[in-house]
Amino acid sequence: DAEPVCASVPITAEVLKCSLTDDFDCPAEYDATQVIDFKSLPLPSGPPRVRRPAHELDDAYVKKFEEAIRRMKELDEDDPRSYYNQSGIHEAYCDQHYNVVSSGSPDVMFDVHFSSIFAPWHRMYIYFFERILGDLIGDPTFGLPYWNWDSPEGMMLPSIFLNESSPLYNANRNQQRLRSFMDLNLGPAKQPNLPEPECTGDALCLLENNLYSMYRQMTVDTPEEFLGGKFCSFGTKYTGSLENGAHTAAHIWAGGDMGSLKTAARDPVFYCNHSNVDRMWHLWTTTLGRDNLPYQEWLDTSFVFYDEMRRPVRISVQDVLDNGKLGYTYQEKRNLEWLQKRP
Ligand code: C2O
């Protein structure tokens, strides 16, 4: 077995270089002297943004969400806040566009998936996306709805994504599946030490299986098993259950753009999927009382994102461990059904 080669320095924006290809524009270059440290910005004041289940939104909230996405899609392509650029950020960071240009790191194309960078990077990404959406509709309390696939009522595509005349619509999805229940076991996560429940193939059984698999992904033993390992060379990478489980299943299940990392963020449902992934991480550290990874290299990992004022902001893993400090919360109104599903 080859020795794993893992990053010995924190991954930061400075050690990454984006390369263009024929059909891809790298995220807008920023002037390094203009980068603001997130820690130097005032903490949010006023009421927190509340992220709500996407299947329970009232009409007024749906209108707000649609209007925000519409305006983002209407922005100029070279505006870093535009939907074009925002979805391109995801493509850049996970479709072989970033090289790691530093010694002490594996010589592979950089990707924010398949390691412990997954959870914090996506938290940062949708956090700035949410701020931009709120700003575009003049509502600093706007919270990104979450696709509540961990609860039986949320185990379908939320109906707000079915309206063909809405900016939330995407014609490339696997339309045949859209009105049936999801299968959260489509992902690569398999933990054979826990038994599958007996299943006869009906819908109720599918929902039961989904709850078991939620229980499995949420109650692994260690933070590494949940969040993933260090950023290492391919073949030795270690993906956490947070990523490998329902998250990946939702991508595969929705299909179309969502089905590949390159195009996934072109589908608006991507952001609601990740709002729920982020909520799962939040539940891990709060309701479940579990730990984050302890090592400094992870905590010092940082990236630069544009905020709603088009300012490049450097934000580190350490900065995003507590979403309360970021100014958002999750609406939780019922029991977590999966928590009762110990096999
Ligand atoms: Cu960056 Cu759900 O993937």
Side-chain angles (χ1 to χ4, degrees):
D1 287 349
E3 273 291 296
V5 183
C6 299
S8 59
V9 292
I11 298 290
T12 65
E14 287 69 31
V15 309
L16 299 177
K17 181 108 196 83
C18 183
S19 50
L20 287 163
T21 56
D22 287 350
D23 62 343
F24 177 75
D25 295 329
C26 284
E29 288 268 342
Y30 52 84
D31 175 348
T33 64
Q34 303 294 307
V35 175
I36 305 170
D37 196 311
F38 185 76
K39 289 180 192 64
S40 72
L41 294 172
L43 286 175
S45 55
R49 302 168 184 276
V50 180
R51 295 186 180 175
R52 301 172 166 79
H55 69 282
E56 286 183 356
L57 303 178
D58 60 31
D59 289 350
Y61 207 94
V62 175
K63 291 253 143 45
K64 265 203 312 203
F65 187 23
E66 290 179 339
E67 185 58 23
I69 294 282
R70 183 182 341 265
R71 290 186 188 186
M72 190 182 253
K73 286 184 169 176
E74 281 166 7
L75 291 174
D76 229 54
E77 275 193 6
D78 53 22
D79 188 320
R81 302 167 306 163
S82 67
Y83 195 83
Y84 175 80
N85 269 299
Q86 288 293 311
S87 58
I89 292 172
H90 190 263
E91 178 168 353
Y93 278 101
C94 55
D95 191 46
Q96 313 267 300
H97 290 289
Y98 275 108
N99 248 317
V100 186
V101 288
S102 116
S103 58
S105 288
D107 184 18
V108 292
M109 295 306 284
F110 179 71
D111 193 314
V112 290
H113 303 89
F114 321 117
S115 81
S116 56
I117 292 172
F118 171 78
W121 185 87
H122 287 81
R123 174 169 286 183
M124 297 166 185
Y125 176 45
I126 65 171
Y127 167 72
F128 286 103
F129 185 83
E130 174 182 68
R131 278 174 57 153
I132 294 167
L133 288 181
D135 186 66
L136 289 172
I137 52 170
D139 180 357
T141 68
F142 175 79
L144 190 60
Y146 62 86
W147 182 1
N148 195 187
W149 35 244
D150 57 304
S151 172
E153 296 127 76
M155 289 176 184
M156 299 183 94
L157 188 76
S159 61
I160 57 172
F161 294 102
L162 292 170
N163 173 1
E164 288 183 37
S165 57
S166 160
L168 303 176
Y169 190 71
N170 179 307
N172 298 337
R173 294 180 196 129
N174 186 335
Q175 310 293 345
Q176 274 169 0
R177 281 179 179 160
L178 295 182
R179 286 162 205 271
S180 58
F181 290 111
M182 307 167 71
D183 177 358
L184 296 186
N185 287 298
L186 289 174
K190 290 276 176 269
Q191 276 124 357
N193 50 330
L194 291 164
E196 297 285 341
E198 295 291 323
C199 193
T200 55
D202 55 24
L204 256 186
C205 182
L206 179 64
L207 298 187
E208 281 283 286
N209 265 337
N210 285 345
L211 292 175
Y212 281 112
S213 90
M214 282 312 306
Y215 181 90
R216 277 204 312 263
Q217 80 168 66
M218 294 301 292
T219 57
V220 290
D221 291 334
T222 65
E224 284 77 14
E225 285 171 85
F226 185 65
L227 293 165
K230 294 191 176 191
F231 175 68
C232 296
S233 49
F234 288 113
T236 54
K237 58 194 181 182
Y238 184 73
T239 310
S241 63
L242 175 67
E243 176 179 355
N244 249 350
H247 154 261
T248 297
H251 275 278
I252 298 170
W253 183 81
D257 289 342
M258 278 283 278
S260 101
L261 289 175
K262 169 180 168 151
T263 50
R266 297 180 195 173
D267 187 333
V269 78
F270 172 94
Y271 303 92
C272 296
N273 185 30
H274 275 277
S275 184
N276 204 39
V277 171
D278 190 74
R279 174 173 160 259
M280 293 301 125
W281 182 20
H282 171 65
L283 293 172
W284 168 266
T285 52
T286 56
T287 306
L288 300 178
R290 307 295 295 272
D291 292 330
N292 278 314
L293 294 162
Y295 53 94
Q296 201 59 36
E297 214 176 283
W298 185 65
L299 298 169
D300 289 342
T301 294
S302 68
F303 298 95
V304 173
F305 291 89
Y306 281 97
D307 73 1
E308 70 283 5
M309 294 161 77
R310 284 178 272 201
R311 301 178 301 189
V313 179
R314 175 190 319 283
I315 190 164
S316 71
V317 171
Q318 181 77 66
D319 295 330
V320 300
L321 295 181
D322 177 355
N323 56 259
K325 285 202 190 125
L326 296 174
Y328 69 86
T329 61
Y330 286 99
Q331 178 184 302
E332 299 286 349
K333 69 174 222 187
R334 49 178 113 64
N335 292 335
L336 296 167
E337 295 93 341
W338 49 262
L339 202 47
Q340 269 56 259
K341 287 293 169 183
R342 188 191 190 92

PDB file of all heavy atoms in Angstrom, residues 90 113 118 122 247 251 261 270 273-274, ligand 1:
ATOM      1  N   HIS A  90     -18.486  26.782  -7.178  1.00  0.00           N
ATOM      2  CA  HIS A  90     -18.525  25.354  -6.852  1.00  0.00           C
ATOM      3  C   HIS A  90     -17.817  24.534  -7.925  1.00  0.00           C
ATOM      4  O   HIS A  90     -17.039  23.631  -7.620  1.00  0.00           O
ATOM      5  CB  HIS A  90     -19.971  24.890  -6.652  1.00  0.00           C
ATOM      6  CG  HIS A  90     -20.057  23.507  -6.098  1.00  0.00           C
ATOM      7  ND1 HIS A  90     -20.252  22.398  -6.888  1.00  0.00           N
ATOM      8  CD2 HIS A  90     -19.922  23.042  -4.824  1.00  0.00           C
ATOM      9  CE1 HIS A  90     -20.261  21.310  -6.115  1.00  0.00           C
ATOM     10  NE2 HIS A  90     -20.063  21.670  -4.872  1.00  0.00           N
ATOM     11  N   HIS A 113     -14.256  18.332  -1.875  1.00  0.00           N
ATOM     12  CA  HIS A 113     -14.974  17.136  -1.427  1.00  0.00           C
ATOM     13  C   HIS A 113     -13.984  16.073  -0.952  1.00  0.00           C
ATOM     14  O   HIS A 113     -12.786  16.238  -1.082  1.00  0.00           O
ATOM     15  CB  HIS A 113     -15.835  16.586  -2.572  1.00  0.00           C
ATOM     16  CG  HIS A 113     -16.790  17.629  -3.069  1.00  0.00           C
ATOM     17  ND1 HIS A 113     -16.474  18.509  -4.070  1.00  0.00           N
ATOM     18  CD2 HIS A 113     -18.025  17.978  -2.634  1.00  0.00           C
ATOM     19  CE1 HIS A 113     -17.475  19.348  -4.260  1.00  0.00           C
ATOM     20  NE2 HIS A 113     -18.433  19.054  -3.398  1.00  0.00           N
ATOM     21  N   PHE A 118     -14.789  19.443   3.371  1.00  0.00           N
ATOM     22  CA  PHE A 118     -16.156  19.456   2.825  1.00  0.00           C
ATOM     23  C   PHE A 118     -17.137  20.302   3.649  1.00  0.00           C
ATOM     24  O   PHE A 118     -17.774  21.221   3.129  1.00  0.00           O
ATOM     25  CB  PHE A 118     -16.678  18.009   2.723  1.00  0.00           C
ATOM     26  CG  PHE A 118     -18.136  17.898   2.382  1.00  0.00           C
ATOM     27  CD1 PHE A 118     -18.581  18.068   1.082  1.00  0.00           C
ATOM     28  CD2 PHE A 118     -19.082  17.621   3.382  1.00  0.00           C
ATOM     29  CE1 PHE A 118     -19.940  17.968   0.769  1.00  0.00           C
ATOM     30  CE2 PHE A 118     -20.426  17.517   3.077  1.00  0.00           C
ATOM     31  CZ  PHE A 118     -20.857  17.691   1.758  1.00  0.00           C
ATOM     32  N   HIS A 122     -18.398  24.198   2.421  1.00  0.00           N
ATOM     33  CA  HIS A 122     -19.783  24.399   1.979  1.00  0.00           C
ATOM     34  C   HIS A 122     -20.542  25.316   2.932  1.00  0.00           C
ATOM     35  O   HIS A 122     -21.433  26.047   2.515  1.00  0.00           O
ATOM     36  CB  HIS A 122     -20.494  23.059   1.784  1.00  0.00           C
ATOM     37  CG  HIS A 122     -20.043  22.314   0.558  1.00  0.00           C
ATOM     38  ND1 HIS A 122     -18.887  21.562   0.535  1.00  0.00           N
ATOM     39  CD2 HIS A 122     -20.569  22.223  -0.706  1.00  0.00           C
ATOM     40  CE1 HIS A 122     -18.737  21.035  -0.687  1.00  0.00           C
ATOM     41  NE2 HIS A 122     -19.736  21.417  -1.449  1.00  0.00           N
ATOM     42  N   HIS A 247     -26.452  13.276   1.767  1.00  0.00           N
ATOM     43  CA  HIS A 247     -26.036  14.383   0.899  1.00  0.00           C
ATOM     44  C   HIS A 247     -25.798  13.924  -0.535  1.00  0.00           C
ATOM     45  O   HIS A 247     -26.345  14.476  -1.491  1.00  0.00           O
ATOM     46  CB  HIS A 247     -24.769  15.049   1.452  1.00  0.00           C
ATOM     47  CG  HIS A 247     -23.947  15.711   0.389  1.00  0.00           C
ATOM     48  ND1 HIS A 247     -22.838  15.120  -0.172  1.00  0.00           N
ATOM     49  CD2 HIS A 247     -24.125  16.896  -0.260  1.00  0.00           C
ATOM     50  CE1 HIS A 247     -22.350  15.920  -1.113  1.00  0.00           C
ATOM     51  NE2 HIS A 247     -23.111  17.010  -1.187  1.00  0.00           N
ATOM     52  N   HIS A 251     -27.975  14.266  -4.292  1.00  0.00           N
ATOM     53  CA  HIS A 251     -27.421  14.670  -5.590  1.00  0.00           C
ATOM     54  C   HIS A 251     -27.783  13.649  -6.670  1.00  0.00           C
ATOM     55  O   HIS A 251     -28.243  14.006  -7.755  1.00  0.00           O
ATOM     56  CB  HIS A 251     -25.887  14.756  -5.514  1.00  0.00           C
ATOM     57  CG  HIS A 251     -25.372  16.057  -4.998  1.00  0.00           C
ATOM     58  ND1 HIS A 251     -25.229  17.166  -5.793  1.00  0.00           N
ATOM     59  CD2 HIS A 251     -24.957  16.435  -3.767  1.00  0.00           C
ATOM     60  CE1 HIS A 251     -24.730  18.177  -5.081  1.00  0.00           C
ATOM     61  NE2 HIS A 251     -24.560  17.757  -3.833  1.00  0.00           N
ATOM     62  N   LEU A 261     -20.565  16.898  -9.935  1.00  0.00           N
ATOM     63  CA  LEU A 261     -20.011  17.994  -9.123  1.00  0.00           C
ATOM     64  C   LEU A 261     -19.790  19.252  -9.948  1.00  0.00           C
ATOM     65  O   LEU A 261     -19.925  20.373  -9.463  1.00  0.00           O
ATOM     66  CB  LEU A 261     -18.688  17.548  -8.492  1.00  0.00           C
ATOM     67  CG  LEU A 261     -18.822  16.511  -7.381  1.00  0.00           C
ATOM     68  CD1 LEU A 261     -17.450  16.046  -6.916  1.00  0.00           C
ATOM     69  CD2 LEU A 261     -19.602  17.102  -6.201  1.00  0.00           C
ATOM     70  N   PHE A 270     -29.619  22.718  -5.127  1.00  0.00           N
ATOM     71  CA  PHE A 270     -28.297  22.465  -4.532  1.00  0.00           C
ATOM     72  C   PHE A 270     -28.150  23.190  -3.199  1.00  0.00           C
ATOM     73  O   PHE A 270     -27.669  22.621  -2.213  1.00  0.00           O
ATOM     74  CB  PHE A 270     -27.198  22.950  -5.503  1.00  0.00           C
ATOM     75  CG  PHE A 270     -25.811  22.918  -4.922  1.00  0.00           C
ATOM     76  CD1 PHE A 270     -24.975  21.831  -5.116  1.00  0.00           C
ATOM     77  CD2 PHE A 270     -25.337  23.982  -4.156  1.00  0.00           C
ATOM     78  CE1 PHE A 270     -23.692  21.808  -4.560  1.00  0.00           C
ATOM     79  CE2 PHE A 270     -24.071  23.970  -3.608  1.00  0.00           C
ATOM     80  CZ  PHE A 270     -23.243  22.882  -3.804  1.00  0.00           C
ATOM     81  N   ASN A 273     -30.182  21.681  -0.479  1.00  0.00           N
ATOM     82  CA  ASN A 273     -29.558  20.428  -0.056  1.00  0.00           C
ATOM     83  C   ASN A 273     -28.435  20.754   0.934  1.00  0.00           C
ATOM     84  O   ASN A 273     -28.345  20.173   2.018  1.00  0.00           O
ATOM     85  CB  ASN A 273     -29.001  19.679  -1.285  1.00  0.00           C
ATOM     86  CG  ASN A 273     -28.443  18.301  -0.952  1.00  0.00           C
ATOM     87  OD1 ASN A 273     -28.909  17.646  -0.014  1.00  0.00           O
ATOM     88  ND2 ASN A 273     -27.446  17.856  -1.702  1.00  0.00           N
ATOM     89  N   HIS A 274     -27.603  21.727   0.587  1.00  0.00           N
ATOM     90  CA  HIS A 274     -26.473  22.033   1.459  1.00  0.00           C
ATOM     91  C   HIS A 274     -26.881  22.776   2.726  1.00  0.00           C
ATOM     92  O   HIS A 274     -26.168  22.721   3.737  1.00  0.00           O
ATOM     93  CB  HIS A 274     -25.357  22.734   0.685  1.00  0.00           C
ATOM     94  CG  HIS A 274     -24.496  21.715   0.026  1.00  0.00           C
ATOM     95  ND1 HIS A 274     -23.477  21.081   0.693  1.00  0.00           N
ATOM     96  CD2 HIS A 274     -24.580  21.137  -1.200  1.00  0.00           C
ATOM     97  CE1 HIS A 274     -22.955  20.164  -0.104  1.00  0.00           C
ATOM     98  NE2 HIS A 274     -23.606  20.181  -1.261  1.00  0.00           N
TER      99      HIS A 274
HETATM  100 CU1  C2O B   1     -19.929  20.435  -3.261  1.00  0.00          CU
HETATM  101 CU2  C2O B   1     -23.153  18.675  -2.529  1.00  0.00          CU
HETATM  102  O1  C2O B   1     -21.424  19.195  -3.200  1.00  0.00           O
END
